[in-house]
Short mmCIF file of all heavy atoms in Angstrom, two decimals:
data_model
loop_
_atom_site.label_atom_id
_atom_site.label_comp_id
_atom_site.label_asym_id
_atom_site.label_seq_id
_atom_site.Cartn_x
_atom_site.Cartn_y
_atom_site.Cartn_z
N PRO I 12 -41.11 -50.67 20.67
CA PRO I 12 -42.34 -49.87 21.08
C PRO I 12 -41.92 -48.35 21.14
O PRO I 12 -40.77 -48.01 21.19
CB PRO I 12 -42.65 -50.47 22.45
CG PRO I 12 -41.35 -50.91 22.93
CD PRO I 12 -40.52 -51.40 21.78
N TYR I 13 -43.01 -47.65 21.33
CA TYR I 13 -42.86 -46.16 21.58
C TYR I 13 -42.90 -46.08 23.20
O TYR I 13 -43.50 -46.74 23.81
CB TYR I 13 -44.01 -45.42 20.91
CG TYR I 13 -43.67 -45.19 19.57
CD1 TYR I 13 -43.68 -46.22 18.62
CD2 TYR I 13 -43.20 -43.86 19.13
CE1 TYR I 13 -43.47 -46.05 17.28
CE2 TYR I 13 -42.87 -43.70 17.70
CZ TYR I 13 -42.99 -44.74 16.76
OH TYR I 13 -42.69 -44.51 15.51
N VAL I 14 -42.21 -44.94 23.63
CA VAL I 14 -42.27 -44.69 25.03
C VAL I 14 -42.66 -43.16 25.31
O VAL I 14 -42.36 -42.36 24.47
CB VAL I 14 -40.86 -44.93 25.72
CG1 VAL I 14 -40.54 -46.40 25.53
CG2 VAL I 14 -39.69 -44.13 25.02
N ILE I 15 -43.19 -43.05 26.52
CA ILE I 15 -43.49 -41.70 26.83
C ILE I 15 -42.46 -41.05 27.78
O ILE I 15 -41.95 -41.70 28.64
CB ILE I 15 -44.88 -41.55 27.46
CG1 ILE I 15 -45.84 -42.22 26.60
CG2 ILE I 15 -45.33 -40.20 27.75
CD1 ILE I 15 -47.37 -42.17 26.90
N THR I 16 -42.14 -39.73 27.52
CA THR I 16 -40.99 -39.04 28.30
C THR I 16 -41.53 -37.96 29.05
O THR I 16 -42.79 -37.68 29.22
CB THR I 16 -39.95 -38.58 27.32
OG1 THR I 16 -40.70 -37.48 26.57
CG2 THR I 16 -39.47 -39.56 26.44
N GLU I 17 -40.71 -37.31 29.88
CA GLU I 17 -41.05 -36.36 30.85
C GLU I 17 -41.94 -35.14 30.36
O GLU I 17 -42.49 -34.55 31.04
CB GLU I 17 -39.84 -35.80 31.50
CG GLU I 17 -38.91 -34.97 30.68
CD GLU I 17 -37.59 -34.85 31.46
OE1 GLU I 17 -37.52 -34.67 32.68
OE2 GLU I 17 -36.56 -34.66 30.82
N ALA I 18 -41.88 -34.92 28.98
CA ALA I 18 -42.56 -33.91 28.47
C ALA I 18 -44.06 -34.11 28.59
O ALA I 18 -44.95 -33.25 28.49
CB ALA I 18 -42.29 -33.67 27.00
N CYS I 19 -44.47 -35.31 29.03
CA CYS I 19 -45.89 -35.74 29.23
C CYS I 19 -46.42 -35.12 30.59
O CYS I 19 -47.53 -34.88 30.76
CB CYS I 19 -46.05 -37.16 29.22
SG CYS I 19 -47.70 -37.70 29.60
N VAL I 20 -45.48 -34.82 31.52
CA VAL I 20 -45.99 -34.45 32.81
C VAL I 20 -46.63 -33.08 32.79
O VAL I 20 -46.20 -32.20 32.06
CB VAL I 20 -44.74 -34.26 33.92
CG1 VAL I 20 -45.04 -33.73 35.11
CG2 VAL I 20 -43.92 -35.60 33.98
N LYS I 21 -47.89 -33.05 33.27
CA LYS I 21 -48.69 -31.90 33.40
C LYS I 21 -49.45 -31.61 32.07
O LYS I 21 -50.17 -30.65 31.77
CB LYS I 21 -47.95 -30.65 33.76
CG LYS I 21 -47.49 -30.71 35.19
CD LYS I 21 -46.99 -29.36 35.71
CE LYS I 21 -46.75 -29.42 37.15
NZ LYS I 21 -45.46 -28.45 37.47
N CYS I 22 -49.19 -32.44 31.04
CA CYS I 22 -50.01 -32.31 29.74
C CYS I 22 -51.39 -32.79 30.01
O CYS I 22 -51.50 -33.78 30.66
CB CYS I 22 -49.32 -33.13 28.71
SG CYS I 22 -50.23 -33.26 27.19
N LYS I 23 -52.31 -32.01 29.53
CA LYS I 23 -53.76 -32.32 29.83
C LYS I 23 -54.48 -32.95 28.52
O LYS I 23 -55.63 -33.36 28.61
CB LYS I 23 -54.46 -31.09 30.18
CG LYS I 23 -54.04 -30.36 31.31
CD LYS I 23 -54.60 -30.82 32.53
CE LYS I 23 -54.25 -30.05 33.87
NZ LYS I 23 -52.81 -30.31 34.43
N TYR I 24 -53.72 -33.14 27.58
CA TYR I 24 -54.28 -33.79 26.33
C TYR I 24 -54.19 -35.24 26.44
O TYR I 24 -53.22 -35.78 26.89
CB TYR I 24 -53.52 -33.15 25.15
CG TYR I 24 -53.60 -31.69 24.89
CD1 TYR I 24 -52.71 -30.85 25.30
CD2 TYR I 24 -54.74 -31.23 24.21
CE1 TYR I 24 -52.84 -29.52 25.29
CE2 TYR I 24 -54.92 -29.91 24.15
CZ TYR I 24 -53.97 -29.01 24.62
OH TYR I 24 -54.08 -27.63 24.51
N THR I 25 -55.18 -35.93 25.89
CA THR I 25 -55.22 -37.32 25.76
C THR I 25 -55.34 -37.83 24.34
O THR I 25 -55.98 -38.92 24.06
CB THR I 25 -56.21 -37.93 26.69
OG1 THR I 25 -57.48 -37.35 26.41
CG2 THR I 25 -55.91 -37.76 28.22
N ASP I 26 -55.01 -36.94 23.38
CA ASP I 26 -55.15 -37.39 22.01
C ASP I 26 -54.49 -38.72 21.73
O ASP I 26 -55.02 -39.50 20.87
CB ASP I 26 -54.47 -36.21 21.08
CG ASP I 26 -55.05 -34.88 21.40
OD1 ASP I 26 -55.10 -34.54 22.49
OD2 ASP I 26 -55.29 -34.18 20.39
N CYS I 27 -53.33 -38.93 22.35
CA CYS I 27 -52.60 -40.08 22.05
C CYS I 27 -53.32 -41.38 22.50
O CYS I 27 -53.52 -42.41 21.81
CB CYS I 27 -51.29 -40.26 22.92
SG CYS I 27 -51.56 -40.01 24.76
N VAL I 28 -54.07 -41.32 23.62
CA VAL I 28 -55.03 -42.41 24.14
C VAL I 28 -56.10 -42.72 23.11
O VAL I 28 -56.44 -43.76 22.80
CB VAL I 28 -55.60 -42.00 25.45
CG1 VAL I 28 -56.42 -43.14 25.97
CG2 VAL I 28 -54.48 -41.68 26.48
N ASP I 29 -56.68 -41.60 22.64
CA ASP I 29 -57.78 -41.72 21.62
C ASP I 29 -57.37 -42.50 20.34
O ASP I 29 -58.20 -43.18 19.71
CB ASP I 29 -58.45 -40.40 21.30
CG ASP I 29 -59.07 -39.63 22.57
OD1 ASP I 29 -59.30 -40.44 23.50
OD2 ASP I 29 -59.27 -38.42 22.52
N VAL I 30 -56.14 -42.29 19.89
CA VAL I 30 -55.78 -42.83 18.61
C VAL I 30 -55.11 -44.18 18.65
O VAL I 30 -55.08 -44.87 17.64
CB VAL I 30 -54.88 -41.80 17.75
CG1 VAL I 30 -55.60 -40.60 17.47
CG2 VAL I 30 -53.58 -41.61 18.52
N CYS I 31 -54.76 -44.68 19.84
CA CYS I 31 -54.05 -45.85 19.93
C CYS I 31 -55.01 -47.08 19.57
O CYS I 31 -56.01 -47.24 20.17
CB CYS I 31 -53.37 -46.17 21.23
SG CYS I 31 -52.57 -47.62 21.37
N PRO I 32 -54.60 -47.83 18.57
CA PRO I 32 -55.47 -48.99 17.99
C PRO I 32 -55.51 -50.13 18.96
O PRO I 32 -56.40 -50.91 18.92
CB PRO I 32 -54.89 -49.34 16.70
CG PRO I 32 -53.43 -48.93 16.82
CD PRO I 32 -53.58 -47.69 17.62
N VAL I 33 -54.49 -50.25 19.93
CA VAL I 33 -54.53 -51.31 20.83
C VAL I 33 -54.69 -50.98 22.27
O VAL I 33 -54.54 -51.85 23.24
CB VAL I 33 -53.20 -52.21 20.66
CG1 VAL I 33 -53.17 -52.80 19.35
CG2 VAL I 33 -51.97 -51.32 20.87
N ASP I 34 -55.13 -49.75 22.67
CA ASP I 34 -55.30 -49.24 23.90
C ASP I 34 -54.28 -49.58 24.93
O ASP I 34 -54.53 -50.18 25.90
CB ASP I 34 -56.60 -49.82 24.35
CG ASP I 34 -57.93 -49.13 23.89
OD1 ASP I 34 -57.67 -47.88 23.65
OD2 ASP I 34 -58.96 -49.74 23.85
N CYS I 35 -53.09 -49.13 24.57
CA CYS I 35 -52.00 -49.63 25.52
C CYS I 35 -51.36 -48.45 26.25
O CYS I 35 -50.35 -48.55 26.99
CB CYS I 35 -50.89 -50.40 24.75
SG CYS I 35 -50.04 -49.35 23.49
N PHE I 36 -52.28 -47.49 26.50
CA PHE I 36 -51.77 -46.23 27.42
C PHE I 36 -52.37 -46.57 28.65
O PHE I 36 -53.49 -47.00 28.95
CB PHE I 36 -52.36 -44.97 26.92
CG PHE I 36 -51.60 -44.46 25.63
CD1 PHE I 36 -51.89 -44.83 24.39
CD2 PHE I 36 -50.61 -43.49 25.95
CE1 PHE I 36 -51.18 -44.39 23.40
CE2 PHE I 36 -49.82 -42.98 24.86
CZ PHE I 36 -50.09 -43.46 23.64
N TYR I 37 -51.56 -46.25 29.80
CA TYR I 37 -51.99 -46.37 31.14
C TYR I 37 -51.45 -45.17 31.90
O TYR I 37 -50.52 -44.41 31.42
CB TYR I 37 -51.22 -47.72 31.73
CG TYR I 37 -51.68 -48.95 31.02
CD1 TYR I 37 -51.08 -49.38 29.92
CD2 TYR I 37 -52.75 -49.66 31.49
CE1 TYR I 37 -51.48 -50.50 29.26
CE2 TYR I 37 -53.21 -50.79 30.83
CZ TYR I 37 -52.56 -51.21 29.66
OH TYR I 37 -53.00 -52.29 29.04
N GLU I 38 -52.03 -45.04 33.10
CA GLU I 38 -51.69 -43.84 33.92
C GLU I 38 -50.51 -44.21 34.85
O GLU I 38 -50.51 -45.09 35.48
CB GLU I 38 -52.85 -43.44 34.74
CG GLU I 38 -53.79 -42.44 33.97
CD GLU I 38 -54.90 -41.92 34.86
OE1 GLU I 38 -54.49 -41.28 35.91
OE2 GLU I 38 -56.07 -41.94 34.49
N GLY I 39 -49.44 -43.34 34.72
CA GLY I 39 -48.34 -43.47 35.68
C GLY I 39 -48.57 -42.48 36.89
O GLY I 39 -49.73 -42.13 37.06
N GLU I 40 -47.55 -42.17 37.48
CA GLU I 40 -47.65 -41.29 38.78
C GLU I 40 -48.18 -39.99 38.44
O GLU I 40 -49.04 -39.41 39.01
CB GLU I 40 -46.33 -41.33 39.50
CG GLU I 40 -46.49 -41.00 40.93
CD GLU I 40 -45.33 -41.20 41.70
OE1 GLU I 40 -44.70 -42.39 41.44
OE2 GLU I 40 -44.94 -40.42 42.61
N ASN I 41 -47.44 -39.35 37.42
CA ASN I 41 -47.90 -37.91 37.01
C ASN I 41 -47.88 -37.75 35.57
O ASN I 41 -47.80 -36.73 35.06
CB ASN I 41 -46.99 -37.00 37.76
CG ASN I 41 -45.45 -37.16 37.50
OD1 ASN I 41 -45.14 -38.06 36.74
ND2 ASN I 41 -44.63 -36.43 38.18
N MET I 42 -47.91 -38.87 34.90
CA MET I 42 -47.85 -38.84 33.36
C MET I 42 -48.48 -40.16 32.88
O MET I 42 -48.68 -41.11 33.51
CB MET I 42 -46.46 -38.69 32.86
CG MET I 42 -45.54 -39.81 33.38
SD MET I 42 -43.91 -39.66 32.88
CE MET I 42 -43.90 -40.55 31.31
N LEU I 43 -48.67 -40.12 31.54
CA LEU I 43 -49.18 -41.43 30.96
C LEU I 43 -47.96 -42.30 30.59
O LEU I 43 -46.80 -41.79 30.44
CB LEU I 43 -49.98 -41.16 29.67
CG LEU I 43 -51.32 -40.43 29.88
CD1 LEU I 43 -51.82 -39.97 28.60
CD2 LEU I 43 -52.27 -41.13 30.65
N VAL I 44 -48.25 -43.50 30.53
CA VAL I 44 -47.17 -44.47 29.98
C VAL I 44 -47.69 -45.40 28.97
O VAL I 44 -48.95 -45.53 28.97
CB VAL I 44 -46.50 -45.31 31.12
CG1 VAL I 44 -45.79 -44.32 32.24
CG2 VAL I 44 -47.65 -46.22 31.86
N ILE I 45 -46.80 -46.00 28.18
CA ILE I 45 -47.25 -46.91 27.18
C ILE I 45 -46.63 -48.34 27.72
O ILE I 45 -45.56 -48.49 28.07
CB ILE I 45 -46.56 -46.63 25.86
CG1 ILE I 45 -47.19 -45.43 25.30
CG2 ILE I 45 -46.68 -47.73 24.84
CD1 ILE I 45 -46.42 -44.82 23.97
N ASN I 46 -47.50 -49.30 27.54
CA ASN I 46 -47.10 -50.79 27.92
C ASN I 46 -46.33 -51.18 26.67
O ASN I 46 -46.88 -51.47 25.57
CB ASN I 46 -48.19 -51.60 28.17
CG ASN I 46 -47.88 -52.99 28.59
OD1 ASN I 46 -46.68 -53.49 28.24
ND2 ASN I 46 -48.69 -53.67 29.36
N PRO I 47 -45.02 -51.32 26.83
CA PRO I 47 -44.09 -51.71 25.79
C PRO I 47 -44.45 -53.09 25.18
O PRO I 47 -44.24 -53.42 23.95
CB PRO I 47 -42.80 -51.66 26.32
CG PRO I 47 -42.91 -51.67 27.82
CD PRO I 47 -44.21 -51.14 28.16
N ASP I 48 -45.11 -53.97 25.90
CA ASP I 48 -45.36 -55.29 25.50
C ASP I 48 -46.62 -55.31 24.61
O ASP I 48 -46.95 -56.20 23.96
CB ASP I 48 -45.53 -56.24 26.71
CG ASP I 48 -44.25 -56.39 27.47
OD1 ASP I 48 -43.16 -56.24 26.90
OD2 ASP I 48 -44.37 -56.56 28.73
N GLU I 49 -47.41 -54.26 24.69
CA GLU I 49 -48.63 -54.16 23.94
C GLU I 49 -48.63 -53.27 22.80
O GLU I 49 -49.26 -53.40 21.83
CB GLU I 49 -49.83 -53.71 24.86
CG GLU I 49 -50.12 -54.64 26.07
CD GLU I 49 -51.17 -54.12 27.03
OE1 GLU I 49 -51.64 -52.96 26.95
OE2 GLU I 49 -51.62 -54.93 27.92
N CYS I 50 -47.71 -52.30 22.84
CA CYS I 50 -47.52 -51.33 21.72
C CYS I 50 -47.11 -52.16 20.42
O CYS I 50 -46.19 -52.97 20.39
CB CYS I 50 -46.41 -50.38 22.13
SG CYS I 50 -46.07 -49.23 20.66
N ILE I 51 -47.88 -51.79 19.32
CA ILE I 51 -47.45 -52.55 18.01
C ILE I 51 -46.71 -51.65 17.11
O ILE I 51 -46.50 -52.04 15.84
CB ILE I 51 -48.81 -52.97 17.41
CG1 ILE I 51 -49.73 -51.73 17.20
CG2 ILE I 51 -49.48 -53.96 18.11
CD1 ILE I 51 -50.85 -52.08 16.15
N ASP I 52 -46.08 -50.55 17.70
CA ASP I 52 -45.14 -49.73 16.97
C ASP I 52 -45.74 -49.07 15.77
O ASP I 52 -45.07 -48.91 14.77
CB ASP I 52 -44.02 -50.64 16.52
CG ASP I 52 -42.69 -50.22 17.10
OD1 ASP I 52 -42.52 -49.10 17.55
OD2 ASP I 52 -41.67 -51.12 17.00
N CYS I 53 -47.04 -48.72 15.77
CA CYS I 53 -47.62 -48.12 14.60
C CYS I 53 -47.21 -46.68 14.36
O CYS I 53 -47.35 -46.10 13.23
CB CYS I 53 -49.15 -48.21 14.69
SG CYS I 53 -49.84 -47.09 15.96
N GLY I 54 -46.80 -45.96 15.48
CA GLY I 54 -46.32 -44.56 15.44
C GLY I 54 -47.51 -43.54 15.29
O GLY I 54 -47.14 -42.26 15.26
N VAL I 55 -48.71 -43.88 15.39
CA VAL I 55 -49.77 -42.96 15.24
C VAL I 55 -49.76 -41.90 16.31
O VAL I 55 -50.04 -40.78 16.17
CB VAL I 55 -51.14 -43.67 15.21
CG1 VAL I 55 -52.40 -42.68 15.23
CG2 VAL I 55 -51.27 -44.46 14.01
N CYS I 56 -49.56 -42.46 17.55
CA CYS I 56 -49.67 -41.45 18.72
C CYS I 56 -48.57 -40.52 18.78
O CYS I 56 -48.75 -39.33 19.12
CB CYS I 56 -49.49 -42.34 20.08
SG CYS I 56 -47.95 -43.23 20.07
N GLU I 57 -47.38 -40.82 18.18
CA GLU I 57 -46.16 -39.84 18.16
C GLU I 57 -46.73 -38.53 17.38
O GLU I 57 -46.34 -37.39 17.89
CB GLU I 57 -45.04 -40.55 17.47
CG GLU I 57 -43.76 -39.55 17.46
CD GLU I 57 -42.66 -40.16 16.55
OE1 GLU I 57 -42.94 -40.92 15.64
OE2 GLU I 57 -41.55 -39.84 16.81
N ALA I 58 -47.29 -38.68 16.39
CA ALA I 58 -47.73 -37.45 15.60
C ALA I 58 -48.84 -36.78 16.29
O ALA I 58 -49.03 -35.38 16.08
CB ALA I 58 -48.20 -37.93 14.15
N GLU I 59 -49.59 -37.35 17.12
CA GLU I 59 -50.79 -36.64 17.76
C GLU I 59 -50.42 -36.02 19.01
O GLU I 59 -51.12 -35.22 19.44
CB GLU I 59 -51.88 -37.79 18.13
CG GLU I 59 -52.52 -38.34 16.90
CD GLU I 59 -53.32 -37.29 16.11
OE1 GLU I 59 -53.85 -36.33 16.76
OE2 GLU I 59 -53.19 -37.47 14.87
N CYS I 60 -49.19 -36.28 19.62
CA CYS I 60 -48.91 -35.74 20.96
C CYS I 60 -48.55 -34.35 20.85
O CYS I 60 -47.56 -33.99 20.15
CB CYS I 60 -47.80 -36.50 21.52
SG CYS I 60 -47.12 -35.92 23.07
N PRO I 61 -49.27 -33.40 21.51
CA PRO I 61 -48.97 -31.94 21.37
C PRO I 61 -47.74 -31.58 22.10
O PRO I 61 -47.26 -30.54 21.92
CB PRO I 61 -50.33 -31.29 21.98
CG PRO I 61 -50.87 -32.27 22.81
CD PRO I 61 -50.55 -33.71 22.21
N ALA I 62 -47.40 -32.43 23.04
CA ALA I 62 -46.21 -32.04 23.84
C ALA I 62 -44.89 -32.75 23.32
O ALA I 62 -43.80 -32.58 23.89
CB ALA I 62 -46.35 -32.60 25.30
N GLU I 63 -45.04 -33.47 22.22
CA GLU I 63 -43.86 -34.28 21.68
C GLU I 63 -43.16 -35.05 22.76
O GLU I 63 -41.84 -35.12 22.79
CB GLU I 63 -42.95 -33.23 20.99
CG GLU I 63 -43.47 -32.57 19.79
CD GLU I 63 -42.57 -31.70 19.06
OE1 GLU I 63 -41.35 -31.84 19.13
OE2 GLU I 63 -43.10 -30.94 18.13
N ALA I 64 -43.97 -35.70 23.47
CA ALA I 64 -43.50 -36.53 24.68
C ALA I 64 -43.29 -37.98 24.17
O ALA I 64 -42.71 -38.77 24.95
CB ALA I 64 -44.43 -36.44 25.78
N ILE I 65 -43.64 -38.32 22.95
CA ILE I 65 -43.65 -39.82 22.72
C ILE I 65 -42.57 -40.06 21.73
O ILE I 65 -42.51 -39.30 20.53
CB ILE I 65 -45.04 -40.24 22.12
CG1 ILE I 65 -46.13 -39.98 23.13
CG2 ILE I 65 -44.90 -41.74 21.82
CD1 ILE I 65 -47.53 -40.21 22.66
N ILE I 66 -41.67 -40.93 21.98
CA ILE I 66 -40.50 -41.31 21.08
C ILE I 66 -40.29 -42.75 20.97
O ILE I 66 -40.78 -43.48 21.81
CB ILE I 66 -39.15 -40.67 21.57
CG1 ILE I 66 -38.95 -41.24 23.14
CG2 ILE I 66 -39.24 -39.10 21.67
CD1 ILE I 66 -37.42 -40.80 23.56
N PRO I 67 -39.73 -43.20 19.90
CA PRO I 67 -39.45 -44.63 19.73
C PRO I 67 -38.35 -45.02 20.75
O PRO I 67 -37.50 -44.19 21.11
CB PRO I 67 -38.81 -44.81 18.30
CG PRO I 67 -39.14 -43.48 17.61
CD PRO I 67 -39.25 -42.40 18.74
N ASP I 68 -38.36 -46.27 21.21
CA ASP I 68 -37.49 -46.73 22.26
C ASP I 68 -36.06 -46.79 21.72
O ASP I 68 -35.14 -47.07 22.46
CB ASP I 68 -37.93 -47.97 23.01
CG ASP I 68 -37.86 -49.20 22.02
OD1 ASP I 68 -37.88 -49.02 20.79
OD2 ASP I 68 -37.68 -50.37 22.59
N THR I 69 -35.94 -46.61 20.42
CA THR I 69 -34.48 -46.83 19.85
C THR I 69 -33.80 -45.30 19.92
O THR I 69 -32.63 -45.38 19.57
CB THR I 69 -34.68 -47.14 18.42
OG1 THR I 69 -35.68 -46.40 17.80
CG2 THR I 69 -35.02 -48.59 18.23
N TYR I 70 -34.58 -44.25 20.22
CA TYR I 70 -33.92 -43.04 20.40
C TYR I 70 -32.87 -42.96 21.52
O TYR I 70 -33.04 -43.52 22.53
CB TYR I 70 -34.97 -41.86 20.57
CG TYR I 70 -35.59 -41.47 19.33
CD1 TYR I 70 -35.66 -42.11 18.09
CD2 TYR I 70 -36.09 -40.08 19.29
CE1 TYR I 70 -36.24 -41.65 17.03
CE2 TYR I 70 -36.73 -39.60 18.07
CZ TYR I 70 -36.75 -40.42 17.02
OH TYR I 70 -37.35 -39.90 15.88
N GLN I 71 -31.94 -42.01 21.32
CA GLN I 71 -30.91 -41.83 22.52
C GLN I 71 -31.50 -41.37 23.68
O GLN I 71 -32.49 -40.43 23.61
CB GLN I 71 -29.91 -40.85 21.92
CG GLN I 71 -28.68 -40.93 22.69
CD GLN I 71 -27.46 -40.07 22.23
OE1 GLN I 71 -27.80 -39.16 21.41
NE2 GLN I 71 -26.34 -40.16 22.89
N GLY I 72 -31.33 -41.94 24.80
CA GLY I 72 -31.93 -41.61 26.06
C GLY I 72 -33.25 -42.18 26.41
O GLY I 72 -33.83 -42.07 27.44
N ALA I 73 -33.82 -42.94 25.40
CA ALA I 73 -35.07 -43.64 25.67
C ALA I 73 -35.06 -44.78 26.64
O ALA I 73 -36.15 -45.13 27.13
CB ALA I 73 -35.71 -44.04 24.44
N GLU I 74 -33.89 -45.31 26.90
CA GLU I 74 -33.75 -46.56 27.66
C GLU I 74 -34.42 -46.44 29.09
O GLU I 74 -35.15 -47.34 29.52
CB GLU I 74 -32.38 -46.92 27.89
CG GLU I 74 -32.08 -48.40 27.88
CD GLU I 74 -30.67 -48.76 27.68
OE1 GLU I 74 -30.24 -48.86 26.54
OE2 GLU I 74 -30.02 -48.91 28.68
N ARG I 75 -34.21 -45.32 29.68
CA ARG I 75 -34.62 -45.21 31.13
C ARG I 75 -36.25 -44.95 31.11
O ARG I 75 -36.88 -45.44 31.90
CB ARG I 75 -33.87 -44.17 31.91
CG ARG I 75 -34.13 -42.68 31.41
CD ARG I 75 -33.42 -41.80 32.31
NE ARG I 75 -34.25 -41.16 33.41
CZ ARG I 75 -34.63 -39.89 33.20
NH1 ARG I 75 -34.38 -39.15 32.32
NH2 ARG I 75 -35.44 -39.51 34.20
N TRP I 76 -36.63 -44.35 30.01
CA TRP I 76 -38.02 -44.09 29.89
C TRP I 76 -38.77 -45.42 29.58
O TRP I 76 -39.98 -45.55 30.04
CB TRP I 76 -38.40 -43.12 28.79
CG TRP I 76 -37.93 -41.63 29.30
CD1 TRP I 76 -36.82 -41.03 28.93
CD2 TRP I 76 -38.65 -40.96 30.41
NE1 TRP I 76 -36.74 -39.87 29.63
CE2 TRP I 76 -37.76 -39.83 30.52
CE3 TRP I 76 -39.70 -41.15 31.22
CZ2 TRP I 76 -38.09 -38.75 31.48
CZ3 TRP I 76 -40.04 -40.16 32.16
CH2 TRP I 76 -39.28 -39.10 32.30
N LEU I 77 -38.13 -46.30 28.83
CA LEU I 77 -38.80 -47.54 28.57
C LEU I 77 -38.87 -48.41 29.97
O LEU I 77 -39.99 -48.95 30.10
CB LEU I 77 -37.77 -48.36 27.60
CG LEU I 77 -38.28 -49.80 27.34
CD1 LEU I 77 -39.64 -49.85 26.56
CD2 LEU I 77 -37.09 -50.49 26.55
N GLU I 78 -37.90 -48.24 30.76
CA GLU I 78 -38.14 -48.93 32.13
C GLU I 78 -39.24 -48.24 32.89
O GLU I 78 -40.10 -49.00 33.48
CB GLU I 78 -36.78 -48.82 32.87
CG GLU I 78 -35.80 -49.74 32.36
CD GLU I 78 -34.41 -49.48 33.06
OE1 GLU I 78 -34.33 -48.95 34.23
OE2 GLU I 78 -33.40 -49.66 32.52
N ILE I 79 -39.40 -46.99 32.92
CA ILE I 79 -40.39 -46.38 33.61
C ILE I 79 -41.77 -46.54 33.03
O ILE I 79 -42.81 -46.86 33.81
CB ILE I 79 -40.13 -44.72 33.68
CG1 ILE I 79 -38.87 -44.58 34.51
CG2 ILE I 79 -41.33 -44.04 34.13
CD1 ILE I 79 -38.27 -43.07 34.36
N ASN I 80 -41.90 -46.65 31.78
CA ASN I 80 -43.15 -46.87 31.07
C ASN I 80 -43.57 -48.34 31.46
O ASN I 80 -44.68 -48.72 31.84
CB ASN I 80 -43.09 -46.83 29.52
CG ASN I 80 -43.13 -45.34 29.16
OD1 ASN I 80 -44.07 -45.04 28.31
ND2 ASN I 80 -42.34 -44.54 29.64
N ARG I 81 -42.69 -49.24 31.42
CA ARG I 81 -42.94 -50.73 31.73
C ARG I 81 -43.24 -50.81 33.20
O ARG I 81 -44.34 -51.42 33.50
CB ARG I 81 -41.80 -51.54 31.46
CG ARG I 81 -41.92 -53.11 31.91
CD ARG I 81 -40.81 -53.88 31.38
NE ARG I 81 -41.21 -54.48 30.02
CZ ARG I 81 -40.34 -54.29 28.99
NH1 ARG I 81 -39.19 -53.69 29.21
NH2 ARG I 81 -40.67 -54.75 27.87
N GLU I 82 -42.66 -50.16 33.98
CA GLU I 82 -42.86 -50.37 35.53
C GLU I 82 -44.33 -49.84 35.85
O GLU I 82 -45.03 -50.63 36.46
CB GLU I 82 -41.89 -49.42 36.24
CG GLU I 82 -42.07 -49.44 37.76
CD GLU I 82 -41.10 -48.41 38.45
OE1 GLU I 82 -39.95 -48.21 37.91
OE2 GLU I 82 -41.48 -47.87 39.45
N TYR I 83 -44.68 -48.74 35.31
CA TYR I 83 -46.00 -48.25 35.67
C TYR I 83 -47.17 -48.94 34.96
O TYR I 83 -48.20 -49.21 35.44
CB TYR I 83 -46.18 -46.63 35.42
CG TYR I 83 -45.54 -46.03 36.54
CD1 TYR I 83 -44.30 -45.38 36.35
CD2 TYR I 83 -46.12 -45.83 37.79
CE1 TYR I 83 -43.60 -44.78 37.46
CE2 TYR I 83 -45.47 -45.17 38.91
CZ TYR I 83 -44.22 -44.63 38.62
OH TYR I 83 -43.64 -44.00 39.67
N ALA I 84 -46.85 -49.35 33.75
CA ALA I 84 -47.94 -50.18 32.98
C ALA I 84 -48.09 -51.46 33.59
O ALA I 84 -49.34 -52.02 33.66
CB ALA I 84 -47.46 -50.31 31.49
N GLU I 85 -47.16 -51.97 34.23
CA GLU I 85 -47.35 -53.29 34.90
C GLU I 85 -48.08 -53.22 36.15
O GLU I 85 -48.45 -54.21 36.73
CB GLU I 85 -45.90 -54.04 35.07
CG GLU I 85 -45.39 -54.53 33.81
CD GLU I 85 -43.95 -55.18 34.03
OE1 GLU I 85 -43.43 -55.04 34.96
OE2 GLU I 85 -43.49 -55.83 32.98
N LYS I 86 -48.37 -52.03 36.76
CA LYS I 86 -49.15 -51.89 37.91
C LYS I 86 -50.67 -52.09 37.67
O LYS I 86 -51.44 -52.14 38.62
CB LYS I 86 -48.90 -50.51 38.63
CG LYS I 86 -47.40 -50.48 39.10
CD LYS I 86 -47.10 -49.24 39.98
CE LYS I 86 -45.79 -49.37 40.42
NZ LYS I 86 -45.23 -48.24 41.25
N TRP I 87 -50.97 -51.95 36.40
CA TRP I 87 -52.38 -52.11 36.04
C TRP I 87 -52.75 -53.48 35.85
O TRP I 87 -52.04 -54.34 35.43
CB TRP I 87 -52.74 -51.28 34.85
CG TRP I 87 -52.62 -49.86 35.16
CD1 TRP I 87 -51.50 -49.05 35.12
CD2 TRP I 87 -53.78 -49.00 35.61
NE1 TRP I 87 -51.95 -47.75 35.53
CE2 TRP I 87 -53.21 -47.72 35.87
CE3 TRP I 87 -55.07 -49.28 35.93
CZ2 TRP I 87 -54.00 -46.62 36.38
CZ3 TRP I 87 -55.82 -48.23 36.45
CH2 TRP I 87 -55.31 -46.92 36.64
FE1 SF4 K 7 -50.41 -47.26 20.57
FE2 SF4 K 7 -49.30 -47.24 18.11
FE3 SF4 K 7 -48.52 -45.42 19.99
FE4 SF4 K 7 -47.88 -47.95 20.28
S1 SF4 K 7 -47.23 -46.51 18.56
S2 SF4 K 7 -48.72 -46.71 21.89
S3 SF4 K 7 -49.60 -49.01 19.31
S4 SF4 K 7 -50.61 -45.53 18.91
#
């Protein structure tokens, strides 16, 4: 799946939410998160994010963000 990173904090755009075909964006404490169990890996949101906050979970350093995204997504 794709994960959202700290560049999302304070970002006011929600272009990513609008384009996601499976509606798997949720609100975290101060940023948006992606539910990794619902993301279908389409990559559409990555290109739309003006803050470049969205990365594939295979990127270096993405592991801790995957945990944070999952943690907040599961609160919904
Ligand atoms: Fe949604 Fe696709 Fe982004 Fe996953 S990669 S969060 S399915 S838009």
